[in-house]
Amino acid sequence: MEQRRVTDFFARRRPGPRIAPPKLACRTPSPAPCALDPATSGSRKRARPSAAPGRDQARPPARRRLRLSADAVSSPSSPEAPGSPAGPSPCQKIKTSAPAAGQPPHPAARPDQDTISELRSCLQRARQLGARVRALKASAQDAGESRTPEAECHPEEPCGEKAPAYQRFHALAQPGPPGLVLPYKYQVLAEMFRSMDTIVGMLHNRSETPTFAKVQRGVQDMTRRCFEERNVGQIKTVYPALYRFRQERGVPTFKDGVKRSDYQLTIEPLLEQEGGGAAPKLTASSLLQRRQVFSQKLVELVKQHHKSFLASLNPPMVVPEDQLTRWHPRFNVDEVPDIEPAVLPQPPATEKVSTAQEVLARARSLMSPRMEKALRQLALRSAEPSSPCSPSLASPKPALPPTPPATPPAASPSALKGVSQDLLERVRAKEAQKQLAQMTRRPEQEQRLRRLERLPELARVLRSVFVSERKAALSMEVACARVVGSCCTAMSPGEMEKHLLLLAELLPDWLSLHRIRTDTYVKLDKAADLASITTRLVRRARAEEGL
């Protein structure tokens, strides 16, 4: 009996028109005629669905393909095909309307009117969106066509010409206290000079003629950067007394592409003649000295741009160059104009025949009249297309001057409306005095100011240490170790000792030092008001910062 049930199950699952086996008397009867009322029956078994009419006909396959028929997609209101599945598609649920009373049910299921209206609205919306996309594309094409002549007349600057951020803000990312930092391009040039001087020194010391081809390859291997004659011209502009440049021929290069008879740029270092009459050598000490002089020359160039920037301020400022220790806060170091390369010796111009007219002028006596006529026609024909471009080539555009560093933006008159001119002048004078003091501050003063800024916090931590230790005095080692462990700023015990010595120097009535034999003890007045102590320290820091 169970085997027949399993066979019947697989018969239902198989595709194709198969006749179901006849229903046996011992099988479970259909619940339609003998279904029990769920309210009265205690059985929880789900009722089986009623047998559909035409049980003996061919049944559709149990596993149906989840697709919409082409008729249903194109015309939702048309009835389903006979071979299409009767159930709804999972992609879109269609509600079937119940047959009216007294009318026979329709042989095929029809979609509801709400579903048809919803599909029509979706289709209309899709058509509207498509029309809108086409309109936007057409407007974009029209705008591009109208913008083409302007783009040809005023080409945009390519993205590759703009320097990256690590070059434009190189001075702001330098570690340590601010000082006379060089721009990024000047530092790259200094690195190229160091490599170039090293290679020229090696070649000169072994009595080999340094050529630009040899130096270029060595510098590019050392710096991993492109080294060209333009960089050599910049080095000559900064320090012209370093090398002697010449164009020579007959220099062995051991290269296939360069002939021995070709002119090459040679680089000869200028050295002081030694007393013994021997050939001078580029030693390590002379290389280091030349490198330092080159760096100083670069700093002097930046100082000139900085001086012109200070003169453009309102009010203008004048700072002696020997007292300048840092740049103006508004001076953008990395926007300093590039160094103009000096003119290097060029190979002598050799007369070369490049056009048919020159050939005609040279070989007029060596050719027949027929060949002379053909060459004359060829010369005229080749000169015609180049004639319209000759005026533009003959009158090149003037070179634009280098743009100086950006000046600080002036305040708009509307922003300062109603403020007296006398007050503005006093504020500007005070700001200029503060910036002047900041630019001429020595490194020792800068370090003292940073310590003064930390003293209010250290005073609170030190008093807490004395209160927790419950002692009137502590040794310097113990006090420094306790404060270092409790302070937010990471410092060494030696640096903390310098802060405590400065604190004792500024507030001798609150913190005193006592030297007993070889140890130093720190004594603190716990009864003093900590707020007044902090206020005194802040005022002292502001006073020294304004000097």
Side-chain angles (χ1 to χ4, degrees):
M1 183 185 304
E2 297 297 331
Q3 183 64 28
R4 290 180 179 177
R5 284 173 175 262
V6 173
T7 307
D8 188 14
F9 171 76
F10 280 102
R12 293 167 181 260
R13 301 284 294 183
R14 287 198 190 104
R18 289 183 179 273
I19 305 301
K23 189 174 181 181
L24 301 177
C26 59
R27 295 182 63 178
T28 306
S30 176
C34 57
L36 299 177
D37 189 3
T40 57
S41 173
S43 175
R44 296 184 179 179
K45 188 175 181 180
R46 188 170 57 182
R48 297 173 62 91
S50 58
R55 190 62 184 251
D56 53 347
Q57 299 178 0
R59 298 180 181 178
R63 187 172 296 178
R64 297 172 180 171
R65 296 186 180 181
L66 305 179
R67 291 183 183 176
L68 275 176
S69 61
D71 299 338
V73 175
S74 59
S75 58
S77 59
S78 62
E80 297 181 358
S84 62
S89 172
C91 302
Q92 183 180 5
K93 297 182 180 180
I94 303 176
K95 300 179 180 180
T96 57
S97 59
Q103 296 182 359
H106 200 274
R110 290 180 177 273
D112 197 3
Q113 295 295 333
D114 299 338
T115 308
I116 295 174
S117 59
E118 184 178 355
L119 290 175
R120 288 178 179 173
S121 61
C122 292
L123 182 60
Q124 185 179 2
R125 185 180 179 185
R127 290 174 180 173
Q128 292 176 358
L129 291 176
R132 185 179 179 185
V133 168
R134 287 191 295 270
L136 289 176
K137 285 183 179 180
S139 60
Q141 291 178 358
D142 296 342
E145 293 176 358
S146 61
R147 194 167 53 244
T148 301
E150 298 179 1
E152 292 178 357
C153 299
H154 306 281
E156 295 181 358
E157 185 180 2
C159 299
E161 294 185 2
K162 187 176 181 180
Y166 74 92
Q167 295 182 12
R168 289 184 282 115
F169 306 105
H170 177 262
L172 301 178
Q174 294 302 310
L180 300 178
V181 184
L182 288 175
Y184 178 80
K185 46 193 172 185
Y186 284 21
Q187 291 189 6
V188 171
L189 186 64
E191 183 183 358
M192 288 182 177
F193 167 73
R194 178 184 63 84
S195 305
M196 175 180 172
D197 209 28
T198 303
I199 295 171
V200 171
M202 287 193 308
L203 296 176
H204 176 77
N205 292 341
R206 62 191 186 194
S207 301
E208 186 177 349
T209 305
T211 61
F212 174 73
K214 301 175 184 178
V215 174
Q216 182 184 25
R217 182 176 180 181
V219 172
Q220 290 181 164
D221 291 343
M222 292 179 65
T223 60
R224 302 295 180 185
R225 299 179 185 276
C226 184
F227 186 71
E228 302 173 351
E229 290 189 7
R230 178 176 178 274
N231 304 119
V232 180
Q234 290 177 337
I235 293 174
K236 184 180 178 180
T237 302
V238 176
Y239 201 172
L242 281 177
Y243 305 104
R244 181 185 291 114
F245 301 95
R246 287 184 298 222
Q247 287 286 345
E248 299 181 6
R249 60 194 303 180
V251 180
T253 57
F254 307 103
K255 283 187 176 183
D256 298 335
V258 181
K259 298 180 181 179
R260 192 182 182 92
S261 59
D262 294 343
Y263 284 93
Q264 299 185 56
L265 180 64
T266 59
I267 306 170
E268 179 186 356
L270 298 178
L271 304 174
E272 297 180 359
Q273 190 70 24
E274 296 181 357
K281 299 287 185 180
L282 261 176
T283 59
S285 58
S286 59
L287 287 175
L288 183 60
Q289 182 180 3
R290 289 157 67 97
R291 189 187 311 169
Q292 292 175 353
V293 173
F294 189 81
S295 299
Q296 292 175 2
K297 298 276 187 182
L298 291 176
V299 173
E300 290 176 1
L301 288 177
V302 183
K303 282 183 178 180
Q304 295 177 5
H305 295 289
H306 183 257
K307 185 177 180 180
S308 60
F309 172 80
L310 294 180
S312 64
L313 295 176
N314 186 19
M317 299 174 61
V318 178
V319 182
E321 292 188 0
D322 55 344
Q323 299 180 6
L324 187 66
T325 58
R326 66 167 67 180
W327 309 121
H328 193 275
R330 299 180 188 174
F331 179 67
N332 197 342
V333 184
D334 293 304
E335 289 188 1
V336 170
D338 206 352
I339 300 174
E340 291 295 331
V343 179
L344 298 176
Q346 300 296 327
T350 59
E351 192 174 358
K352 296 181 180 180
V353 177
S354 58
T355 62
Q357 292 180 353
E358 295 179 1
V359 174
L360 182 62
R362 282 194 172 192
R364 186 181 298 273
S365 61
L366 302 177
M367 64 183 65
S368 61
R370 186 176 181 181
M371 186 180 296
E372 183 180 354
K373 182 179 180 181
L375 284 176
R376 188 182 295 108
Q377 292 178 356
L378 179 61
L380 294 175
R381 204 177 304 147
S382 61
E384 286 177 0
S386 60
S387 57
C389 302
S390 55
S392 61
L393 296 176
S395 59
K397 295 182 180 180
L400 296 177
T403 56
T407 56
S412 58
S414 60
L416 302 178
K417 188 177 182 180
V419 181
S420 63
Q421 191 68 21
D422 189 15
L423 177 61
L424 288 177
E425 294 296 334
R426 289 201 304 269
V427 170
R428 288 170 181 168
K430 188 175 181 180
E431 184 180 0
Q433 182 182 2
K434 183 178 179 180
Q435 292 173 353
L436 180 62
Q438 186 178 5
M439 287 187 289
T440 57
R441 191 177 296 153
R442 297 190 302 273
E444 297 82 9
Q445 296 177 349
E446 188 70 27
Q447 192 174 10
R448 179 182 173 89
L449 283 177
R450 288 200 301 271
R451 290 175 183 171
L452 284 173
E453 292 175 357
R454 301 192 193 105
L455 285 185
E457 180 187 358
L458 294 182
R460 290 190 291 268
V461 175
L462 185 61
R463 186 180 182 280
S464 302
V465 168
F466 271 90
V467 170
S468 61
E469 292 290 339
R470 297 181 181 180
K471 293 181 180 179
L474 293 174
S475 62
M476 181 64 74
E477 292 80 4
V478 175
C480 291
R482 296 290 188 274
V483 176
V484 164
S486 303
C487 187
C488 299
T489 308
M491 284 186 290
S492 62
E495 185 67 20
M496 183 58 67
E497 183 177 356
K498 295 179 182 178
H499 283 76
L500 294 184
L501 292 177
L502 180 61
L503 189 60
E505 176 187 350
L506 298 178
L507 301 175
D509 55 340
W510 183 65
L511 186 67
S512 56
L513 302 179
H514 303 275
R515 302 184 181 275
I516 301 175
R517 297 180 183 178
T518 58
D519 295 337
T520 302
Y521 288 87
V522 182
K523 188 175 181 181
L524 185 138
D525 185 10
K526 301 178 185 179
D529 186 16
L530 185 60
S532 61
I533 297 296
T534 305
T535 305
R536 290 168 58 184
L537 292 175
V538 171
R539 289 178 181 174
R540 185 61 181 269
R542 290 179 180 176
E544 293 199 8
E545 187 178 1
L547 294 178

